Amino acid sequence: LLSQQTRPSPFLSADFLIPWCASFVTSETPQRVGLWRRQGQLSGLIALYGKDGGFELTGGQDVADRLDALVEPGQESNFWQGFFAQAQSWQINLRFPNLAEDSPLLAWLTQEPKQHHWEVTQTDSSPRVSLPDSFEEFLSGLSKKQRHEVRRKLRRTHDHLPLVRYRSIMGGKDWDCWLPRFLNLHRLSHPEKNLFMTPAMEDFFTVMTRRFATRGQLRVGFLLLEDEPI
């Protein structure tokens, strides 16, 4: 189901959701997993957990940029119609945080008559950019002022920090050595980030990133000054 999506979000994968549940969902937390089958085949899946007296999409809006159900393309209307028909009997609030602007659920909500009571609120936006094949092509797509700023900052970096280099880590035997350095830099970068990186959050990042890195789907990049990450 994930591979069939227009944008297969890593936040909807088992490699993200299973570590998240292990770190943040307790044995007392109610959970629901809804499966929808069509002609004997799994055609839709939604995972919810209990929060504030209602249910919310599993995945944590603090750490995920995109949450949703996973539905076979073309079957979204049937899936959501069936889901809300069943969920109506629960008589509790449902929250769907971090839906992307192209989410089929948002389109369905605007098209369906308001037999249910819902409210759509815009929260944070996650920017994305399509990168060209080379850095020079990237620069050519910027405005004259932006190109000047990028080049000025590059010159300042080379002039003042000649010993700075970049290193990219992607799994392998180095992963368990470099991930704690990343987490330490995260804590040091801002007091709020230090509060954010609780022991449970550190456990989640450790397990989740290792799963993605093992599949070759995650890189951590460092700037190094004399081999120390800065």
Side-chain angles (χ1 to χ4, degrees), residues 179-226:
L179 184 64
R181 297 184 178 193
F182 166 79
L183 296 174
N184 184 52
L185 283 174
H186 184 278
R187 289 191 175 95
L188 293 173
S189 63
H190 196 279
E192 289 185 7
K193 290 187 177 182
N194 184 40
L195 292 174
F196 170 83
M197 192 55 70
T198 62
M201 190 65 73
E202 180 172 342
D203 288 344
F204 162 68
F205 269 93
T206 300
V207 176
M208 179 269 295
T209 55
R210 187 180 292 127
R211 290 179 70 135
F212 279 109
T214 300
R215 298 179 187 273
Q217 296 177 326
L218 181 68
R219 291 178 183 271
V220 173
F222 289 94
L223 281 181
L224 303 175
L225 177 61
E226 297 180 337

Side-chain angles (χ1 to χ4, degrees), residues 74 76-78 80-81 101-116 118 120:
E76 293 90 354
S77 181
N78 292 329
W80 288 114
Q81 195 166 355
E101 59 185 8
D102 59 353
S103 168
L105 173 56
L106 285 179
W108 187 85
L109 289 174
T110 58
Q111 294 165 7
E112 284 294 302
K114 288 204 171 184
Q115 54 184 338
H116 312 289
W118 57 66
V120 178

Side-chain angles (χ1 to χ4, degrees), residues 10-26 31 58-60 63 199-212 215:
F11 304 109
L12 302 180
S13 70
D15 287 325
F16 183 87
L17 293 176
I18 290 175
W20 188 88
C21 287
S23 294
F24 301 112
V25 176
T26 69
Q31 295 185 78
T58 298
V63 290
M201 190 65 73
E202 180 172 342
D203 288 344
F204 162 68
F205 269 93
T206 300
V207 176
M208 179 269 295
T209 55
R210 187 180 292 127
R211 290 179 70 135
F212 279 109
R215 298 179 187 273

Side-chain angles (χ1 to χ4, degrees), residues 96-196:
F96 301 91
N98 294 26
L99 296 174
E101 59 185 8
D102 59 353
S103 168
L105 173 56
L106 285 179
W108 187 85
L109 289 174
T110 58
Q111 294 165 7
E112 284 294 302
K114 288 204 171 184
Q115 54 184 338
H116 312 289
H117 300 286
W118 57 66
E119 177 184 346
V120 178
T121 304
Q122 182 173 348
T123 54
D124 297 331
S125 296
S126 300
R128 55 194 171 95
V129 61
S130 297
L131 293 176
D133 293 332
S134 72
F135 184 59
E136 287 305 316
E137 282 184 78
F138 168 72
L139 287 178
S140 67
L142 302 178
S143 69
K144 183 178 179 180
K145 180 179 179 182
Q146 288 173 325
R147 286 197 299 272
H148 173 76
E149 281 299 305
V150 170
R151 291 190 170 113
R152 185 178 67 84
K153 286 178 170 61
L154 286 173
R155 282 196 304 270
R156 283 175 60 85
T157 300
H158 291 303
D159 291 344
H160 295 285
L161 297 172
L163 300 179
V164 166
R165 64 187 180 90
Y166 175 76
R167 179 169 180 181
S168 179
I169 311 295
M170 187 172 69
K173 64 181 186 305
D174 289 338
W175 188 258
D176 289 337
C177 168
W178 284 92
L179 184 64
R181 297 184 178 193
F182 166 79
L183 296 174
N184 184 52
L185 283 174
H186 184 278
R187 289 191 175 95
L188 293 173
S189 63
H190 196 279
E192 289 185 7
K193 290 187 177 182
N194 184 40
L195 292 174
F196 170 83

Side-chain angles (χ1 to χ4, degrees), residues 37-53:
R37 301 185 185 275
R38 189 172 71 91
Q39 299 175 346
Q41 299 294 319
L42 183 64
S43 189
L45 181 149
I46 186 169
L48 303 161
Y49 78 106
K51 182 179 179 182
D52 300 332

